[in-house]
Every structure is written in C-alpha cells, then in structure tokens.
C-alpha cells in the first residue's frame, strides 16, 4: 500500500509541475532526442509509445562504470551481480531478467549495435568504447524477436570523430584493484576509427566487518572493441566492428552458503569465460526518395571452460552464432514504414546432453508510424512472423531430434503531444520466448542430485503487456511516470516429475540410482507483473540562475504484483529506487555526484517465504581537472568511494558484496 501511495504522489507531482510551469514553457529538449532502438531506425523520442532510457558515454565516465552492468545501475532497475570472481551480471526490467549464463536465453535481450550480442552476461561488455546505451522498457519482440519480453538493451559503440581523440587511464583501488584503459577516435580521408580496450585484476575483497572474503578475487579480465569504417560518400558507409572479452574467474566463488568465510583457504574451481564477435555493415540513404537502408552480417562465439581443481575434470560449453539483418525505411511528412528480415543461427556444444544442438530463426517484420495533427499525434503499428527450427545430436536419452515452431507477434501504440512539453503515451504489445535446445532435448544430470528429462511438448512462453504513461519536459524539469501490466503465460519451469523416478547418470531407470527425475514444462497458471516506473530530473542551478550545475534526480520501479497461483517470483526485488545529486563547477573544473541505490525485499525461492533485503548503498564520485596543456589535452583525477555507508548486503542470494571500497583514476585526454 505504501508503494502505491508513493507512485500516486509522484503522478501528482507531474501534474503540479506541469501546470505551475505552463506559462514559462520553453522549447523541449528531452522529447526531441534521437534514438534508434525502438523502431530500428533513427526517430525522435516524442514519437515513441514506449519508455526508452538513454545513457550517454560521458555518464559512464562520471559513475566510473567498468562494464555494462555497472553502467545501468542508476536507472531505477535492478542490476544483480554475483561476487566479482564469478564473472556474471544480469539486469531485471519489470520482473524479467537477462540470463546469468553463457547463452542468450532470458527475458531481456542484449544487443550490440542493433544485433544480438550472443550472450546476456552484462559483465562481458566493457565501457571504454561506448557512445551510448539505449534501454527499451517493456515488450519488444515485434522489433527483435524472441527473449525481448521485459525489454532490450542496445549498446551503441563509438565511431571515429572528425577531431582526433586519445585517452589513457590507470585505476588503483581496494583489494589491489588495477585497471588500465586506452581509447582512440579519429577520421582520415573518408575513413573513421574508434578503439577502446581495458585490462583489470583484483584480489579478494573485504566485507564491512573487515574480514577478507576468500575466493572473490578477479585474477584477469580483458575487453576491447574496434569500430572501423569507410564512407564512400556522405550517404554510404561500409563498417567493420569487432568486440572481445576474456576473463578468469572462480566457479561459485563468493557463495557464502557453500564458502563461509574464512574457513576455506584453497581456490575454487577456475573458470575461463571468453567471447568474441565481429560484424560487417553496409548502410546508406537516398535523400531524393526519402529512403534509407542497412544490411549486416555478424558472427561470433562464447566459450566457458571450468576446471575442477580436485578431480582435474573440465566442463566445457560453447555457442557459436551468426546472423544477417537487413532493413529499409521510407518516410514522408505523414508516414514512416520500415520493413526488415532477420536470420540467426546458433550452435551449442556442451559436455552433457544434448552435446551438440542447433537453433535457427528466420523472421520478417514490418513497422509503420503514422503522423497527424502537425506531428503531435503518432500511431505505431507493427507485426513480425518468426519461424524456428531446433535440432539435437542423437543420444540414448532423447528419442526425438528436431522441432519446428512458429510465432506471430503484433504491436500497437500511440503517442500524443498536447503541448511541446507534455507527452501522453500508451502501448499494447505481445512478446515471446522460445524453449532452448537444453530445455526441449535435455537428457542430462544436474547439481549432482537430479536428472532432467526431455520434453517434446514444450511451447513458447508468451507475454501480453499494456502500459500507459506521461512525460514532462519543461524548463528545468523532466519527469515521467508509467503504469505497466504483463500477463505471462506458458512460463517454462523445471520441476520434479510425477511420479518421481530414480535413474543412473545416463538416465536409465534404477531404484538405487542417485538421481531423481525432473522435467521442464509450461505452467498452467499465468504469472502477472504489475507496477509503476518513474523518473525525475531537475537542473536546480538553472532554476535559481547559478552558473554551476546542480541536478538532483530520482528513478524507480515498483512491482505491485509479481506472482502466480501458489508460488512467488524469486530473486526479484519488489522495488528498486535510485536517487542522488550531481554537481559540476566548470569554472574550477571539478564535479561530484552522490548516488543512492535501494533495493526492496526479494524471495530467495519461489516456493518459500524466506526473503532477503532490503538494502541501501551509497556511492560517491568526485572528479577534478589537475592540469591542462592547452592544445595538448588535460590530466584529470577521479575518486570513487563505493558502498560509502559500508553495509553488508546481497545483490544475488548468498553472494555478499564488497564493503566500503576506494578507487582512484588518473586520466589523460587529448
């Protein structure tokens, strides 16, 4: 009840601020922003019926973000990470999450420059060459296909700039943290190049009580991106983009349910996580015919190798993927039409059944946007048709080898601007998630306790979402509020079989076997996600006429309902709130920010009343230009204090996070 009252008060704030500032309205800035993720082409934010958050590259430097997970932690959404040694980070949007594994299975889709990244681990994308990040909140399967139920994260990399730029930085911090970064950007005779790379390491961190938490270090972590292109004319470009990550981690390191500190002194099993991908993009536009187009081919791979230090056995997992995307856009004063084709193939290789499996996806889609009343009323209509083919290598446990499935996905939305400072919007859309080969074909032991049986009768998970909202962009204030409701049907879940059967390691019935049987199945009852999202930003210094920048902000998500019949949704906070203030003094070349994150309670398991949380964490960032060298650049010092209030907390169940930590970065930019 309290959270609903908070959301109601926030909505009233929108109306009061809007009415009180009506007579002083100025030209809008936020609503005129250009984004590319929602419709897969450039369009103004004011035309869109959905919420799209934009995080600029400069913001990543302000908060000292080392990877994508850290870059998104102040958006009012839940970012969940294990211990740094585990190397896994995921994000939860409206109750749906990216997967924490090495594949792209999940309810939130991770994209790199508009194409699939290949896995959904936010810890494996560095920030050193990011231009901006766009986040769609809510269903986006019509634009991007399977897995985009809760939202889409699109990481847009930098391109070479007309003025050359070189940057190098060195960070030192708590737990002997070391990070070195370098980046470059420039153009020359039609060529453009942007490059960024980093390498980092850390030892075991300290908990708030001062104890060293064993097996939480991060021995090696390397990432990089290069974006290279040639512009034949101002309207045609051929580009090449390569990104890579490699990290050494401890399997299950930092799990206090199995590793109570400081009892275990030997290192946990070591795990290498690798991914790399590249793509080739040709894009252009024909202004005389109001036409633009793009075509992309991409390919890559993700590798996971975990070595057991006791038995010397090695667990191997990899997925190799490739895809093609092509689209064309035509628009005039009243209508915009975008049509496209997507092809995606992924091959999985594992140590367990199904050892070799494949996943194919072909899709065609169409998006149209109609404009009325002198560009103040916009209708968005879209539809997509997907065809999937899944196959697995023959094995004794799986009696079937392939599956073919199809899905049709429509969407409709409206955006209305009664004034140049107010946007009213609504959207109705569907989304889906396909069963993976591991869920359909299965046939493997897990956790050394149960055996997962195959199930050929699995159907796609489906979601139906409607949302309404308002955004205000007036003078010194921007704010917004959204109410959303999702009905999630045919959710996949693994449970004990009925009757329960005991089997051996190969799945053969054995009354004395050590494994009991489980199986993925579609739930009969739907899961409901309902709640509010909001944001508030105020340039207080402009309001009072000061020269410096003082900007308080607030962003939140409140889930008022998150349940299915007889069970709860686990490991998802009922509320996430970020608030703080940023300060910048351009005359004296320094800036600072105080950022507060509060996560509400979470259920440890879907069939248990046991919860953990809430917790509040405070971060402080201060930056000062030390030296300027005229035309030869400047030297800057960044200081970050993470977990300033030194609280003991878990982002993921059973994984404590570091206590108060200090970091200093010396950066040179030319």
């Amino acid at each position: 009840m309290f959270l609903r009252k908070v959301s109601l008060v926030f909505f009233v704030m929108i109306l009061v601020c809007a009415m009180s500032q009506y007579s002083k309205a100025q030209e809008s800035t936020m609503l005129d922003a250009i984004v590319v993720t929602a419709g897969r082409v450039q369009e103004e934010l004011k035309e869109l019926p959905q919420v799209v958050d934009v995080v600029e590259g400069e913001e990543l430097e302000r908060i000292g973000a080392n990877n994508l997970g850290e870059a998104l932690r102040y958006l009012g959404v839940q970012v969940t990470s294990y211990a740094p040694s585990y190397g896994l980070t995921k994000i939860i949007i409206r109750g749906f999450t990216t997967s924490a594994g090495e594949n792209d299975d999940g309810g939130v889709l991770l994209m790199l420059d508009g194409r699939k990244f290949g896995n959904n681990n936010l810890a494996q994308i560095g920030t050193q060459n990011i231009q901006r990040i766009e986040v769609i909140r809510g269903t986006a399967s019509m634009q991007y296909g399977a897995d985009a139920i809760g939202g889409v994260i699109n990481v847009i990399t930098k391109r070479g700039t007309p003025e050359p730029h070189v940057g190098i930085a060195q960070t030192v911090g708590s737990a002997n943290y070391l990070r070195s970064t370098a980046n470059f950007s420039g153009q020359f005779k039609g060529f453009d190049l942007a490059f960024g790379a980093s390498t980092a390491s850390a030892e075991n961190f300290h908990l708030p009580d001062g104890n060293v938490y064993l097996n939480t270090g991060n021995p090696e972590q390397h990432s990089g991106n290069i974006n290279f292109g040639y512009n034949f004319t101002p309207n045609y470009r051929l580009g090449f983009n390569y990104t890579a990550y490699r990290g050494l981690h401890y399997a299950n390191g930092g799990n206090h349910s199995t590793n109570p500190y400081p009892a275990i002194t030997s290192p946990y099993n070591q795990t290498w996580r690798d991914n790399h991908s590249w793509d080739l993009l040709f894009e252009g536009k024909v202004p005389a015919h109001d036409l633009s187009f793009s075509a992309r081919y991409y390919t890559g791979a993700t590798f996971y190798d975990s070595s057991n230090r006791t038995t010397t056995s090695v667990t191997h997992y990899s997925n190799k993927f490739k895809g093609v995307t092509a689209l064309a856009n035509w628009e005039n004063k009243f209508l915009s039409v975008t049509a496209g084709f997507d092809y995606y193939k992924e091959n999985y290789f594992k140590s367990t059944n199904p050892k070799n499996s494949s996943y194919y996806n072909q899709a065609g889609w169409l998006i149209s946007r109609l404009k009325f009343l002198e560009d103040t009323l916009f209708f968005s209509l879209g539809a997509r048709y997907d065809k999937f083919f899944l196959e697995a290598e023959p094995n004794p446990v799986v009696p079937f080898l392939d599956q073919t499935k199809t899905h049709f996905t429509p969407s409709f939305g409206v955006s209305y601007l009664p004034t140049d400072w107010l946007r009213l919007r609504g959207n109705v859309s569907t989304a889906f998630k396909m069963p993976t080969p591991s869920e359909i074909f299965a046939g493997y032991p897990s956790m050394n306790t149960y055996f997962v049986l195959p199930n050929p009768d699995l159907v796609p998970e489906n979601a139906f979402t409607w949302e309404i909202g308002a955004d205000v962009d007036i003078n010194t204030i921007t704010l917004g509020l959204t109410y959303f409701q999702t009905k999630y049907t045919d959710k996949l879940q693994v449970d004990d079989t009925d009757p329960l059967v005991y089997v051996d390691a190969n799945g053969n019935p054995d009354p004395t076997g050590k494994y009991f049987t489980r199986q993925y199945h579609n739930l009969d009852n739907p899961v409901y996600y309902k709640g509010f999202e909001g944001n508030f930003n105020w340039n207080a210094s402009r309001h009072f006429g000061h020269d410096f920048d003082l900007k308080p902000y607030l962003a939140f998500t409140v889930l008022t309902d998150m349940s299915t019949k007889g069970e709860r949704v686990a490991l998802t906070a009922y509320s996430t709130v970020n608030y703080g203030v940023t300060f910048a003094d351009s005359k004296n070349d320094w800036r600072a920010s105080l950022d507060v994150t509060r996560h509400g309670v979470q259920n440890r398991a879907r069939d248990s009343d046991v919860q953990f949380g809430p917790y509040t964490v405070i971060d402080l960032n201060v930056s000062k230009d030390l030296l300027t060298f005229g035309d030869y650049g400047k030297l800057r010092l960044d200081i970050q204090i993470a977990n300033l209030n030194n609280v003991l907390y878990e982002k993921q169940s059973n994984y404590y996070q570091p206590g108060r930590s200090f970091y200093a970065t010396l950066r040179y930019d030319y």
Side-chain angles (χ1 to χ4, degrees):
M1 181 63 69
F2 171 75
L3 296 176
R4 294 184 182 182
K5 290 181 179 179
V6 170
S7 300
L8 179 61
V9 169
F10 195 77
F11 179 71
V12 173
M13 288 172 55
I14 292 180
L15 299 180
V16 172
C17 290
M19 296 304 295
S20 65
Q21 303 268 347
Y22 175 82
S23 62
K24 299 181 288 184
Q26 299 175 349
E27 183 178 354
S28 172
T29 55
M30 181 271 289
L31 294 179
D32 290 330
I34 302 296
V35 295
V36 300
T37 304
R40 299 183 64 159
V41 294
Q42 288 190 356
E43 51 198 345
E44 289 183 296
L45 186 62
K46 67 182 181 183
E47 301 179 7
L48 304 179
Q50 291 179 280
V51 180
V52 180
D53 293 312
V54 179
V55 182
E56 299 289 351
E58 295 81 1
E59 178 71 3
L60 306 183
E61 290 188 15
R62 180 189 73 80
I63 63 177
N66 299 318
N67 58 54
L68 184 59
E70 296 179 5
L72 302 177
R73 67 183 185 268
Y74 298 138
L75 290 180
V77 296
Q78 183 180 353
V79 177
T80 298
S81 59
Y82 298 73
S85 59
Y86 207 71
L88 293 176
T89 301
K90 59 184 181 179
I91 189 172
I92 300 174
I93 302 177
R94 298 186 178 181
F96 295 92
T97 177
T98 53
S99 64
E102 312 307 316
N103 54 29
D104 59 1
D105 169 32
V108 175
L109 188 60
L110 179 57
M111 314 285 289
L112 181 67
D113 288 316
R115 54 89 169 171
K116 286 192 173 185
F117 179 61
N119 74 64
N120 271 348
N121 188 354
L122 276 64
Q124 295 187 9
I125 296 184
T127 60
Q128 59 277 350
N129 202 41
I130 293 179
Q131 179 69 32
R132 69 181 186 276
I133 306 165
E134 296 182 1
V135 180
I136 298 179
R137 299 186 187 227
T139 52
S141 285
M142 185 272 295
Q143 300 98 312
Y144 293 103
D147 304 328
I149 298 178
V152 171
I153 303 167
N154 187 19
V155 178
I156 301 170
T157 58
K158 294 179 179 178
R159 292 185 178 181
T161 54
E163 291 294 327
H165 170 263
V166 176
I168 56 174
Q170 179 64 50
T171 302
V172 298
S174 299
N176 286 333
Y177 179 80
L178 296 173
R179 183 174 186 251
S180 303
T181 64
N183 54 67
F184 169 82
S185 177
Q187 295 180 2
F188 179 74
K189 293 184 178 180
F191 292 94
D192 61 82
L193 172 66
F195 165 80
S198 73
T199 181
S201 64
E203 297 179 2
N204 297 326
F205 64 73
H206 286 76
L207 290 163
D209 62 7
N211 280 293
V212 175
Y213 200 8
L214 301 176
N215 303 311
T216 59
N218 199 348
E220 292 186 43
Q221 194 170 17
H222 317 283
S223 64
N225 173 265
I226 182 170
N227 193 337
F228 174 73
Y230 177 69
N231 297 273
F232 298 97
T233 71
N235 293 327
Y236 298 94
R237 180 181 185 270
L238 180 66
F240 173 82
N241 196 324
Y242 176 80
T243 189
Y245 170 90
R246 179 171 173 82
L248 175 62
H249 307 278
Y250 294 134
N252 216 36
N255 186 331
H256 66 75
S257 68
T258 58
N259 177 26
Y261 73 94
I264 299 177
T265 57
S266 61
Y268 261 54
N269 305 336
Q270 292 187 347
T271 301
W272 283 101
R273 303 182 191 274
D274 301 77
N275 77 61
H276 64 268
S277 61
W278 63 267
D279 57 73
L280 195 64
L281 170 69
F282 180 64
E283 58 185 348
K285 56 184 178 179
V286 186
H289 298 284
D290 301 315
L291 180 69
S292 61
F293 63 88
S294 68
R296 182 192 305 268
Y297 171 81
Y298 60 98
T299 184
T302 294
F303 300 94
Y304 168 96
D305 291 287
S306 180
S307 58
N308 189 305
R309 296 173 63 86
T310 302
T311 65
T312 69
S313 63
V314 176
T315 300
H316 174 77
Y317 172 89
S318 68
N319 68 305
K320 298 180 180 180
F321 61 92
K322 60 182 178 180
V324 174
T325 65
L327 65 86
N329 171 259
W330 175 85
E331 63 178 309
N332 62 15
K333 185 177 180 180
F334 305 102
L335 176 66
S336 172
V337 178
T338 309
F341 169 79
D342 294 330
Y343 169 79
Y344 185 72
K345 179 182 180 182
E346 197 159 18
N347 295 317
Y348 303 91
F349 305 93
K350 304 192 304 179
S351 303
T352 59
N353 290 329
K355 294 184 177 180
N356 298 316
S357 58
S358 300
Y359 172 102
Y360 304 80
N361 177 209
Q362 298 175 343
W365 51 270
L366 179 71
I367 303 172
S368 62
R369 185 158 290 123
L370 293 85
K371 310 175 185 180
F372 300 99
L373 303 179
E374 298 180 341
D375 286 353
T376 60
L377 179 62
F378 306 91
F379 289 98
S380 301
L381 303 95
R384 179 186 180 97
Y385 180 78
D386 285 87
K387 185 175 183 179
F388 296 85
F389 182 73
L390 300 89
E391 63 180 2
E393 179 183 72
N395 68 78
V397 181
V398 183
F400 54 97
L401 304 177
D402 59 73
Q403 289 264 298
T404 300
K405 299 182 182 294
T406 60
H407 199 277
F408 176 74
T409 310
S411 179
F412 171 77
V414 60
S415 176
Y416 176 53
L417 286 78
T419 72
D420 62 355
W421 48 266
L422 174 65
R423 175 176 64 151
L424 305 175
R425 49 183 165 74
N427 193 64
V428 178
S429 55
T430 60
F432 69 101
K433 177 180 176 297
M434 294 299 298
T436 66
S438 292
E439 292 166 340
I440 291 180
F441 302 114
Y444 56 88
S446 181
M447 307 293 291
N448 206 33
T449 56
Y450 60 88
F451 192 94
V452 183
L453 298 176
N455 185 355
D457 299 322
L458 296 181
V459 300
E461 300 173 293
N462 290 277
F464 175 81
T465 296
W466 66 269
E467 61 184 84
I468 56 173
D471 302 286
V472 171
D473 181 10
I474 183 168
N475 288 327
T476 60
I477 295 173
T478 61
L479 43 79
L481 181 68
T482 302
Y483 175 78
F484 59 88
Q485 181 171 314
T486 298
K487 182 180 180 181
Y488 189 22
T489 57
D490 297 315
K491 179 184 178 183
L492 284 174
Q493 187 167 288
V494 61
D495 285 310
D496 299 349
T497 59
D498 185 14
L500 196 66
V501 178
Y502 284 87
V503 298
D504 60 21
N506 296 315
N508 300 312
D510 183 356
T512 63
K514 65 179 295 187
Y515 302 99
F516 61 89
T517 52
R518 308 190 83 181
Q519 190 177 50
Y520 281 95
H521 65 103
N522 296 100
L523 292 182
D524 295 328
N525 299 308
V527 183
Y528 290 95
Y529 296 92
K530 304 175 185 178
F532 293 89
E533 296 169 331
N535 65 81
F536 169 82
N537 295 273
W538 180 31
N539 191 330
S541 51
R542 282 181 54 197
H543 187 84
F544 294 109
H546 295 297
D547 294 331
F548 56 82
D549 284 332
L550 182 66
K551 299 178 180 178
Y553 75 91
L554 167 71
F556 68 86
T557 299
V558 176
L559 290 167
T560 58
D561 189 10
M562 183 175 55
S563 63
T564 186
K565 185 176 181 180
E567 292 185 344
R568 298 168 177 82
V569 176
L571 306 180
T572 300
Y574 283 86
S575 63
T576 300
V577 182
N578 296 107
Y579 59 93
V581 61
T582 64
F583 176 86
D585 182 357
S586 57
K587 288 186 177 181
N588 296 297
D589 299 321
W590 74 279
R591 60 186 180 179
S593 66
L594 187 70
D595 304 285
V596 182
T597 299
R598 178 176 174 81
H599 283 176
V601 295
Q602 304 178 52
N603 299 313
R604 287 197 186 273
R606 53 185 167 84
D607 56 354
S608 171
D609 291 330
V610 179
Q611 297 179 324
F612 66 100
Y615 66 84
T616 300
V617 178
I618 303 173
D619 300 325
L620 176 66
N621 297 275
V622 179
S623 177
K624 178 72 170 71
D625 291 347
L626 300 179
L627 297 171
T628 58
F629 306 101
D631 294 336
Y632 298 97
K634 63 181 180 180
L635 188 67
R636 189 182 80 216
L637 176 65
D638 298 330
I639 301 295
Q640 179 185 18
I641 305 177
N643 194 1
L644 179 66
N645 50 330
N646 201 35
V647 63
L648 180 66
Y649 70 104
E650 306 165 79
K651 287 186 178 180
Q652 176 72 22
S653 179
N654 295 323
Y655 287 88
Y656 290 138
Q657 300 299 307
R660 185 183 298 117
S661 303
F662 300 86
Y663 304 94
T665 301
L666 194 62
R667 182 177 181 85
Y668 170 76
D669 287 288
Y670 169 74

